[in-house]
Amino acid sequence: MMDILETIISHKRKEVAERKESLPLDKLLKTRELQFERKTNSMLGALKRSPSGIIAEFKRKSPSKGWLFPDAKVEEIVPAYESGGASVCSVLTDYEFFGGSLSDLERARELVRLPLLRKDFIVDEYQIYEARAAGADAILLIATVLQPVECIKLARMACKLHLQVLLEIHTPEELNRLNPYIDMVGVNNRNLGTFHTDVNNSFRLMEHIQRELGDDPAFRLFVSESGLSDIQTIHELRNVGFRGFLIGETLMKTPDPGKTLKELILELDEKK
């Protein structure tokens, strides 16, 4: 019996094959030529400068929770994230399991100057070209679905296209996917096989990372992902070395995600 992640990846490989057939890479490059000339924004730089480090996520549903905000509109929420103090916006572009699309990313690019992270299950170089064409500044690579050699290949391509890379890990063993083309390391508190969430995973893995990597400058910034809603927890994560905090469901399950974000950041500032 396949777990949730295996189901997603199986579907993703078929989906990407179909997109490559309907819009071959040469045509994609030709039709979106101007986007490839656009200077990208640094997600890494934005997180280093940001007092909150919040990466606000736009998504309509999740495999475990179902629909969170089925009618969510990019033009209403993403600009509110920017004005509310987000340092980066993550945009889910998977439709089948998260209700997103590349069109959401394209629309976000038209509306904000924030660095945009394409969050998807990237298994093919074609998706990196898509991300650049749609206006992304960074991509997510998920260690658990990629072998080390695949991780290097995809991260190198992203670098070539002037996209930064956030590598997502869930276990200490996945640290072997780190390579010189990785800009940021994300610790996912959610098991993508079961979708069970445990924020303590970030604390456990940071201890392991510091023990294994020490002060290695090659891996410069760490992000805690998923299950973040408690202000005290975010402060504690910052104290152990995290500088980015990806928050999605906590925002998207409310009627006004932008307002919720603004209130969250104000509360963070008050408790410093």
Side-chain angles (χ1 to χ4, degrees), residues 159-178:
C159 182
K160 181 180 176 182
L161 294 178
H162 306 290
L163 295 172
Q164 292 183 334
V165 179
L166 172 64
L167 176 70
E168 176 180 293
I169 63 173
H170 183 72
T171 66
E173 293 73 23
E174 291 168 357
L175 283 168
N176 70 352
R177 272 54 161 201
L178 289 171

Side-chain angles (χ1 to χ4, degrees), residues 47-239:
L47 290 174
K48 283 184 173 181
R49 292 189 301 270
S50 172
S52 72
I54 300 296
I55 304 167
E57 187 159 271
F58 179 87
K59 67 177 180 180
R60 297 183 180 88
K61 70 174 181 178
S62 79
S64 58
K65 302 289 179 62
W67 289 101
L68 303 168
F69 198 148
D71 300 322
K73 293 179 173 58
V74 171
E75 55 266 31
E76 294 175 359
I77 294 173
V78 175
Y81 279 166
E82 184 172 49
S83 62
S87 54
V88 176
C89 181
S90 168
V91 180
L92 259 296
T93 58
D94 175 84
Y95 174 75
E96 185 72 15
F97 301 95
F98 292 88
S101 69
L102 281 166
S103 296
D104 289 335
L105 182 59
E106 291 170 357
R107 185 67 176 129
R109 179 74 291 150
E110 293 171 355
L111 296 167
V112 299
R113 300 181 69 181
L114 280 177
L116 297 178
L117 170 70
R118 181 190 183 183
K119 194 171 179 189
D120 208 315
F121 298 83
I122 292 181
V123 293
D124 191 291
E125 288 184 348
Y126 182 83
Q127 292 167 281
I128 302 175
Y129 283 98
E130 283 184 324
R132 187 71 164 93
D137 301 292
I139 61 165
L140 179 77
L141 293 182
I142 303 173
T144 193
V145 304
L146 301 168
Q147 293 301 315
V149 66
E150 294 176 303
C151 227
I152 292 173
K153 179 183 177 183
L154 294 172
R156 184 190 293 124
M157 177 55 69
C159 182
K160 181 180 176 182
L161 294 178
H162 306 290
L163 295 172
Q164 292 183 334
V165 179
L166 172 64
L167 176 70
E168 176 180 293
I169 63 173
H170 183 72
T171 66
E173 293 73 23
E174 291 168 357
L175 283 168
N176 70 352
R177 272 54 161 201
L178 289 171
N179 64 69
Y181 302 101
I182 301 298
D183 299 282
M184 298 152 284
V185 179
V187 175
N188 198 347
N189 301 313
R190 179 172 291 127
N191 182 312
L192 291 176
T194 64
F195 270 71
H196 171 71
T197 302
D198 177 11
V199 175
N200 285 321
N201 193 50
S202 280
F203 293 102
R204 287 193 296 267
L205 239 60
M206 183 56 85
E207 286 183 8
H208 186 91
I209 288 166
Q210 290 171 340
R211 190 164 58 247
E212 293 292 314
L213 302 180
D215 297 322
D216 188 340
F219 312 116
R220 296 164 289 175
L221 189 137
F222 295 92
V223 176
S224 181
E225 308 172 27
S226 304
L228 303 177
S229 59
D230 179 70
I231 299 299
Q232 185 58 36
T233 300
I234 294 174
H235 278 300
E236 290 171 2
L237 287 166
R238 179 173 284 277
N239 288 339

